[in-house]
Amino acid sequence: MPMEDDEMDKLDDMASVSDFDPISGNIPATKVEITVSCRNLLDKDTFSKSDPMCVLYTQGIETKQWREFGRTEVIDNTLNPEFVRKFILDYFFEEKQNLRLDMYDVDSKSPDLTKHDFLGQCFCTLGEIVGSPGSRLEKPLMMGAYTLHSRTGKPMPSVSNGGIPGKKCGTIILSAEELGNCRDVATMQFCANKLDKKDFFGKSDPFMVFYRSNEDGTFTICHKTEVVKNTLNPVWQSFCIPVRALCNGDYDRTIKVEVYDWDRDGSHDFIGEFTTSYRELARGQSQFNVYEVINPKKKMKKKKYVNSGTVTLLSFSVESEHTFLDYIKGGTQINFTVAIDFTASNGNPSQSTSLHYMNPYQMNAYAMALKAVGEIIQDYDSDKMFPALGFGAKIPPDGRVSHEFPLNGNSDNPYCNGIEGILEAYHRSLKTVQLYGPTNFAPVVNHVANYAAAVQDGSQYFVLLIITDGVISDMAQTKEAIVNAAKLPMSIIIVGVGQAEFDAMVELDGDDIRISSRGKLAERDIVQFVPFRDYIDRTGNHVLSMARLAKDVLAEIPDQFISYMKARGIKPNPAPPPYTPPGHTLQTQI
C-alpha cells in the first residue's frame, strides 16, 4: 500500500533507525562527584589561621591549556578544611583527564586569585582518584606554580607566587563518588492485536519504535524492536533498556511509541502510535497497559475509525545495573600486560626507517602507543607492576625464536615498575634480541588467559595490549585463543603501527561479525583493533595523537568488563566506608 505524505515526512526522520544503538547513543557519561579536604595547610595569616579555598582546573586534550573548572567555598580560620561544595565531573574511562588543584588563603572578596596567598597545588588524573582504594587519594601539596614539559607532559616546577618549588606544604585528600543517577534497567515485552493490514500480498511485518520526549517538545529515539514477519498479532521479544535512556529519570515524561509495517526498501508503512510513561509501564500487565494504536490521519478522515489495533504490555520488571565504577570501588583490580612485536619486518632498530628506531628527541610509534594506553590503565592497578612481553625475536643466549619472552629478561618475574619501567625494558631488549619472525599472537594471548583463568571471581580483570606492525602468521590459533579467552575476565587491545595492511586484525575485532573458531562463536567481543596511523596528528602534536588513540581503544573496556561480570552473575563488593580522621569535626561554611 502506498504511503501517505505525512507518513513519508515522519519516516524521513527515521533514516537511521536500522543502525541505531540506544546504549551508546543516548546515555550520558557517568558523573563523578569530587570532595576535597586538606590537612596541615600553610598558615599565611598573622593573627589567625588561613582561610582556605580550592580551585580546580581541567586540561583540554587538544590544547593542553588549563581551564578553571570551579571553586569551593571559603572556610574561615582552619588549616584542615573539609569543603562542602563539590566538583561534579563527567568521567570517561578511555580518556586521561588531567586535573590541577590550587589552594589559596583568601584575604578579600576579590575574585582575582593574584590578590590571595597561594598555599600549594597538586596534579593528578580523575582515573587516579577513582582507581585509588575506596576512591580516595591523598597527595602532598607542593609550593610553586608548575608548567607541563612540552615533550613528556609531566609537571615541571617554576618559581612564582613567592613559593619554593618542590616544598611540601600540607596534604590534599580527594574522594570520588559516582552520582546516584538512575541506574535501573527495565525489561519489558509487548504484543499487539489486530493491527492494520499494510501489505498487498500478505499481512503486515510490524515493529515498534520508542521515543522519549524532550523538554522542547521534540522526541529522541531510544529503542526499536525486531520485526515480526507476516502477522497482525505479533509477539515481540522481551528487551532490556536503561531507564535513563527511556525517560532520563523522569518517570512521568511522555514516551511515544510508533508502530510500523516493515518494507524491504526502507519505506516502512506507518500503522499508528500511542503514548505512555515509565510510571504507567511500571504498573506491569494490567488493563492500564493495553494501548489503542491510533493513526491520526485516518482518524481525521474516517468518522467510524476506532483504532489500528492494540498493543499490550505482557511483562515488566526493573533492576539496578551495576557500573564499571561500582566494581572498581569494590576493589576490582585491572591487570595490564603489554606484548610488543619484535619481528624483522619492523626494520633494523639502528636505522631511522625502522618502526623500533630510538630517536633521542621523539618517541617511536611503539612507545607512543604503549604510553598512551598504559598511562590510563595504570591508575586502576594498585601495585603498578606490569608484565611486559615481546614476540617474534631470537633471544639470548642460544638465539632461539620466542613468542612470549620477558622484556626485562627475567622469566621468573617479567614485571616492570610502571609504564616508565616497561619503556626502559623495551629499550634494553632492542639492544639484546635479534628481530626475526613469524608474527604469532596466540602465545601471548594464551599467556594472559592462563592468569585470567585462575581468577574468575570478579576481583581482577586483565587487559592485554598487543602492538604490532604486520600481518598475523597464526590466524587460526589466534582465533581459537580469543574464543577461549572470551569466557575469561579479559580484554585485548591491538594497535597496528606502520603502513601495512591490517585486514586480518579487523577480522579479529568482532564489532561487525563475532569471531569464531572451529564452529564455536566467541561468548563476548573482547578485541579492539585500531591502526595508529589513523590517530597521528598532522601538525606533529604527539600528545594529541596519543590522547586520540587512548580514547578510542579504551572506550570499549568498561562495557566488555561489565559484560563478563553480568554473564557470570558477579556483583561488586561494597565500597569501603569513607575515611573519617579520629576526633575530627566538619568545618562550617561561611
Side-chain angles (χ1 to χ4, degrees):
M1 181 180 289
M3 296 181 66
E4 296 167 337
D5 290 341
D6 63 333
E7 294 161 9
M8 285 293 290
D9 291 338
K10 276 186 180 179
L11 286 171
D12 284 342
D13 297 329
M14 288 185 57
S16 62
V17 161
S18 60
D19 57 3
F20 172 71
D21 180 354
I23 293 180
S24 65
N26 285 279
I27 299 179
T30 295
K31 290 189 179 295
V32 173
E33 183 182 79
I34 303 297
T35 301
V36 182
S37 58
C38 300
R39 299 289 177 268
N40 305 315
L41 292 177
L42 292 178
D43 192 354
K44 288 285 188 174
D45 292 347
T46 306
F47 299 107
S48 64
K49 296 177 181 175
S50 293
D51 306 320
M53 173 184 72
C54 181
V55 183
L56 172 66
Y57 296 85
T58 58
Q59 190 181 46
I61 289 180
E62 300 200 10
T63 65
K64 291 297 172 186
Q65 296 296 310
W66 289 106
R67 294 187 295 267
E68 181 176 328
F69 181 85
R71 305 181 183 190
T72 65
E73 76 277 17
V74 179
I75 300 181
D76 270 344
N77 199 28
T78 179
L79 304 182
N80 301 293
E82 299 270 0
F83 295 104
V84 175
R85 189 174 300 160
K86 320 288 187 186
F87 299 121
I88 298 174
L89 297 164
D90 284 333
Y91 166 80
F92 301 95
F93 172 80
E94 66 272 22
E95 292 182 17
K96 185 177 183 182
Q97 295 174 265
N98 290 322
L99 307 177
R100 186 183 106 205
L101 296 106
D102 290 4
M103 297 299 304
Y104 287 90
D105 170 29
V106 176
D107 295 321
S108 69
K109 295 187 181 296
S110 172
D112 183 355
L113 293 174
T114 63
K115 306 291 186 188
H116 308 294
D117 293 324
F118 183 75
L119 296 178
Q121 69 183 173
C122 88
F123 292 83
C124 65
T125 68
L126 184 54
E128 194 177 354
I129 304 172
V130 170
S132 297
S135 296
R136 180 182 182 275
L137 176 68
E138 282 195 36
K139 294 201 84 168
L141 286 163
M142 308 299 286
M143 180 53 73
Y146 284 71
T147 58
L148 288 187
H149 191 281
S150 59
R151 183 167 59 84
T152 66
K154 292 185 175 180
M156 300 283 291
S158 62
V159 180
S160 69
N161 295 308
I164 302 170
K167 177 185 175 183
K168 294 182 181 179
C169 40
T171 301
I172 189 166
I173 302 161
L174 304 168
S175 300
E177 183 173 354
E178 187 175 16
L179 283 182
N181 290 339
C182 180
R183 297 195 322 225
D184 291 345
V185 175
T187 301
M188 59 189 88
Q189 184 178 22
F190 291 87
C191 69
N193 190 42
K194 296 182 180 178
L195 294 176
D196 284 352
K197 179 178 176 296
K198 290 288 185 179
D199 292 343
F200 189 74
F201 293 109
K203 297 178 181 177
S204 287
D205 305 317
F207 68 96
M208 295 195 295
V209 184
F210 289 70
Y211 300 85
R212 72 162 184 261
S213 61
N214 302 316
E215 291 183 2
D216 62 359
T218 60
F219 286 87
T220 300
I221 185 173
C222 56
H223 182 72
K224 181 174 77 75
T225 70
E226 80 282 5
V227 176
V228 181
K229 291 292 188 70
N230 197 32
T231 179
L232 304 181
N233 303 294
V235 178
W236 289 283
Q237 295 174 13
S238 64
F239 62 90
C240 298
I241 183 169
V243 173
R244 283 183 295 176
L246 195 61
C247 65
N248 216 15
D250 180 356
Y251 292 174
D252 295 308
R253 179 175 295 199
T254 298
I255 297 168
K256 181 174 69 172
V257 184
E258 296 178 341
V259 185
Y260 290 91
D261 166 40
W262 177 85
D263 285 328
R264 187 178 299 278
D265 63 1
S267 58
H268 313 304
D269 299 323
F270 178 67
I271 295 175
E273 64 187 14
F274 63 92
T275 60
T276 183
S277 68
Y278 178 82
R279 193 177 300 281
E280 290 179 22
L281 292 171
R283 294 179 175 184
Q285 186 180 24
S286 69
Q287 72 270 25
F288 301 107
N289 278 315
V290 179
Y291 300 95
E292 289 190 286
V293 178
I294 302 299
N295 185 321
K297 191 146 191 174
K298 275 191 173 183
K299 188 175 182 179
M300 286 179 62
K301 287 183 175 179
K302 300 179 180 179
K303 290 183 179 180
K304 294 185 179 181
Y305 176 81
V306 178
N307 58 48
S308 294
T310 59
V311 168
T312 300
L313 176 67
L314 291 177
S315 63
F316 181 93
S317 62
V318 64
E319 63 179 21
S320 182
E321 184 169 64
H322 300 296
T323 69
F324 176 71
L325 288 191
D326 288 333
Y327 290 92
I328 296 299
K329 291 180 74 172
T332 298
Q333 292 284 298
I334 306 292
N335 294 303
F336 176 55
T337 301
V338 62
I340 294 177
D341 183 340
F342 281 81
T343 54
S345 54
N346 284 280
N348 187 335
S350 64
Q351 298 177 355
S352 60
T353 53
S354 171
L355 292 167
H356 282 305
Y357 179 65
M358 301 310 301
N359 184 330
Y361 305 105
Q362 179 180 312
M363 289 187 291
N364 65 31
Y366 279 92
M368 280 196 282
L370 166 60
K371 193 174 177 67
V373 176
E375 281 198 338
I376 290 177
I377 289 184
Q378 71 175 352
D379 286 337
Y380 301 87
D381 188 310
S382 58
D383 65 7
K384 308 288 188 285
M385 297 296 292
F386 308 112
L389 308 173
F391 59 90
K394 288 184 174 181
I395 61 173
D398 55 1
R400 65 182 175 85
V401 176
S402 174
H403 295 290
E404 50 172 316
F405 62 89
L407 294 189
N408 65 3
N410 187 342
S411 298
D412 296 328
N413 183 10
Y415 291 84
C416 299
N417 189 359
I419 303 308
E420 294 303 322
I422 297 178
L423 287 169
E424 289 173 13
Y426 162 57
H427 295 159
R428 284 199 304 270
S429 288
L430 286 172
K431 298 173 183 175
T432 59
V433 305
Q434 179 188 346
L435 274 58
Y436 203 69
T439 307
N440 291 353
F441 285 4
V444 292
V445 173
N446 289 328
H447 178 98
V448 176
N450 287 337
Y451 285 95
V455 192
Q456 299 188 51
D457 61 357
S459 64
Q460 299 185 50
Y461 193 86
F462 295 78
V463 176
L464 169 62
L465 170 64
I466 299 174
I467 313 175
T468 182
D469 82 312
V471 178
I472 185 170
S473 306
D474 64 339
M475 189 65 169
Q477 294 90 334
T478 296
K479 281 184 171 181
E480 184 174 9
I482 290 171
V483 169
N484 292 331
K487 305 171 188 172
L488 302 172
M490 179 174 168
S491 290
I492 301 169
I493 297 167
I494 304 174
V495 177
V497 297
Q499 300 305 312
E501 290 299 323
F502 294 112
D503 294 349
M505 306 300 171
V506 176
E507 186 179 346
L508 296 179
D509 187 333
D511 284 346
D512 298 321
I513 301 173
R514 185 68 59 85
I515 191 173
S516 63
S517 173
R518 300 184 184 184
K520 187 166 61 174
L521 278 175
E523 187 177 302
R524 301 181 296 130
D525 171 21
I526 64 168
V527 179
Q528 170 78 339
F529 165 74
V530 295
F532 189 39
R533 60 180 175 237
D534 291 355
Y535 297 87
I536 296 176
D537 181 63
R538 293 177 182 174
T539 65
N541 185 335
H542 296 305
V543 174
L544 179 55
S545 300
M546 291 162 64
R548 287 172 173 166
L549 173 72
K551 179 177 170 61
D552 265 19
V553 299
L554 292 173
E556 293 186 12
I557 296 291
D559 285 344
Q560 292 174 1
F561 176 103
I562 291 294
S563 73
Y564 173 81
M565 299 298 182
K566 285 182 72 173
R568 297 295 179 273
I570 298 171
K571 292 185 169 21
N573 292 324
Y579 173 79
T580 303
H584 187 76
T585 56
L586 186 68
Q587 298 287 332
T588 55
Q589 177 182 358
I590 64 166

